[in-house]
């Protein structure tokens, strides 16, 4: 029985669509992102409207996550003045979290982990990069932000000019490497976990003998369940890592001396 594991990790066109020769077809990755956006909106709205004085259930869960984002990603990294970035960082966190978790649900035909697509993670990283540079320019001005690329106390003269040029090149490479690391880290972690789960599940179909089924099938099922539980933790962890790195990069642009 031939199986193509990568088929389950690649986006597929659901609604073919071209405008002016440009392919803007709707894929299962796009649909899963739409579903994630809708779920984030309605989940947080519903939790906010419950309004219990002593929260429990959904309200308690959502308030805990929101408080966690506000305290760990905003207050401790960006400070009180960074509260203006709270909506952006919280949106990143919840969107990535819901995309990660939705990918664990076997939805026929459209089921897909959007964050296991490098195009999706690269787009998210590009948004963070633009916001990071915009925050630095808004805080220091274009010239002032450019000066933050060079450490204070650099020597003068020809040697100083060479060192300044070198430091600027290093800083530019560092700035460009940040979105790359964000995109690849999230993409690789979500893809690897799903690959492991698919390998264990495929073993059930690959081994057809009676003895093989007696031993292989139970082990495969148990390991797949264990990996699924672990992937839930990874989904939360990767959403947190992406959001916290975005907060750190914005903080470094606004407060380069830190």
């Amino acid at each position: 029985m031939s199986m193509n594991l990568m088929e389950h990790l690649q986006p597929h066109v659901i609604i073919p669509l071209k405008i002016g020769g440009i392919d803007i077809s709707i894929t299962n990755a796009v649909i899963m992102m739409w579903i994630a956006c809708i779920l984030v909106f309605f989940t947080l709205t519903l939790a906010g409207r419950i309004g219990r004085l002593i929260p429990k259930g959904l309200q308690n869960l959502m308030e805990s996550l929101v408080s966690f984002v506000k305290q760990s990603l905003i207050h401790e990294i960006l400070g009180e003045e960074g509260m203006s970035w709270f909506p952006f960082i919280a949106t990143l966190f919840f969107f990535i979290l819901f995309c990660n978790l939705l990918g664990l649900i076997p939805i026929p035909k459209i089921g897909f982990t959007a964050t296991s697509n490098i195009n999706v993670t690269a787009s998210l990283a590009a948004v963070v990069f633009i916001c990071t540079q915009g925050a630095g320019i808004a805080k220091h001005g274009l010239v002032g932000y450019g000066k933050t690329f060079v450490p204070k106390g650099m020597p003068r003269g020809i040697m100083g000019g060479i060192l300044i040029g070198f430091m600027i090149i290093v800083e530019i490479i560092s700035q460009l490497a940040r979105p790359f690391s964000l995109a690849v880290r999230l993409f690789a972690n979500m893809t690897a976990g799903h690959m492991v789960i698919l390998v264990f599940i495929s073993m059930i179909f690959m081994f057809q003998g009676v003895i093989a089924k007696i031993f292989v099938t139970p082990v495969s099922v148990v390991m797949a369940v264990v990996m699924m539980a672990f992937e839930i933790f990874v989904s939360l962890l990767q959403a947190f890592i992406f959001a916290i790195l975005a907060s750190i990069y914005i903080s470094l642009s606004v407060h380069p001396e830190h």
Side-chain angles (χ1 to χ4, degrees):
M1 180 178 180
S2 61
M3 297 185 64
N4 183 10
L5 294 179
M6 292 305 297
E7 180 182 356
H8 302 277
L9 300 175
Q10 296 173 347
H12 303 290
V13 175
I14 304 298
I15 303 176
L17 185 61
K18 288 187 177 182
I19 297 179
I22 301 176
D23 188 1
I24 56 172
S25 299
I26 307 300
T27 65
N28 52 350
V30 174
I31 292 177
M32 294 303 286
M33 285 191 287
W34 286 349
I35 295 175
C37 290
I38 293 171
L39 287 178
V40 169
F41 175 79
F42 281 106
T43 301
L44 292 176
T45 300
L46 179 61
R49 289 184 175 179
I50 294 175
R52 292 193 183 97
L53 183 61
I54 301 177
K56 61 180 180 179
L58 179 63
Q59 181 186 356
N60 184 39
L61 175 61
M62 290 298 107
E63 285 190 8
S64 298
L65 289 175
V66 169
S67 298
F68 171 74
V69 172
K70 185 180 295 184
Q71 181 63 35
S72 301
L73 305 182
I74 303 299
H75 289 167
E76 293 185 5
I77 297 176
L78 293 169
E80 288 295 333
E81 64 178 19
M83 277 303 298
S84 59
W85 286 100
F86 172 71
F88 174 68
I89 298 300
T91 299
L92 274 179
F93 174 79
F94 282 106
F95 175 73
I96 294 173
L97 175 61
F98 274 64
C99 282
N100 292 347
L101 294 176
L102 278 172
L104 298 176
I105 303 176
I107 305 175
K109 294 184 179 181
I110 65 171
F112 182 73
T113 306
T115 44
S116 67
N117 185 342
I118 189 63
N119 296 316
V120 174
T121 60
S123 298
L124 291 172
V127 171
V128 172
F129 177 78
I130 293 171
C131 290
T132 299
Q133 305 309 313
I137 294 173
K139 178 71 174 182
H140 306 284
L142 183 59
V143 177
Y145 181 60
K147 290 181 179 179
T148 63
F149 284 23
V150 181
K152 295 181 180 180
M154 295 292 292
R156 299 180 179 180
I158 297 177
M159 184 57 67
I162 295 175
L163 288 176
I164 290 174
F166 177 75
M167 291 302 298
I168 290 175
I169 294 174
V170 170
E171 184 62 26
I172 291 175
I173 294 175
S174 174
Q175 292 286 339
L176 295 176
R178 291 173 182 177
F180 177 79
S181 66
L182 279 177
V184 173
R185 180 184 290 105
L186 180 58
F187 157 75
N189 278 278
M190 299 314 300
T191 301
H194 286 68
M195 277 293 297
V196 174
I197 293 175
L198 287 173
V199 167
F200 283 124
I201 293 177
S202 67
M203 290 174 64
I204 299 174
F205 304 97
M206 293 171 61
F207 296 92
Q208 298 296 317
V210 176
I211 298 179
K213 286 186 176 181
I214 294 176
F215 292 100
V216 174
T217 299
V219 174
S220 299
V221 171
V222 170
M223 293 304 297
V225 171
V226 171
M227 281 302 303
M228 186 71 73
F230 181 69
E231 277 296 284
I232 295 175
F233 169 73
V234 171
S235 297
L236 177 61
L237 180 63
Q238 290 305 314
F240 171 72
I241 291 175
F242 196 100
I244 196 173
L245 287 177
S247 301
I248 291 173
Y249 295 157
I250 293 172
S251 178
L252 289 174
S253 292
V254 175
H255 307 291
E257 65 277 5
H258 294 168

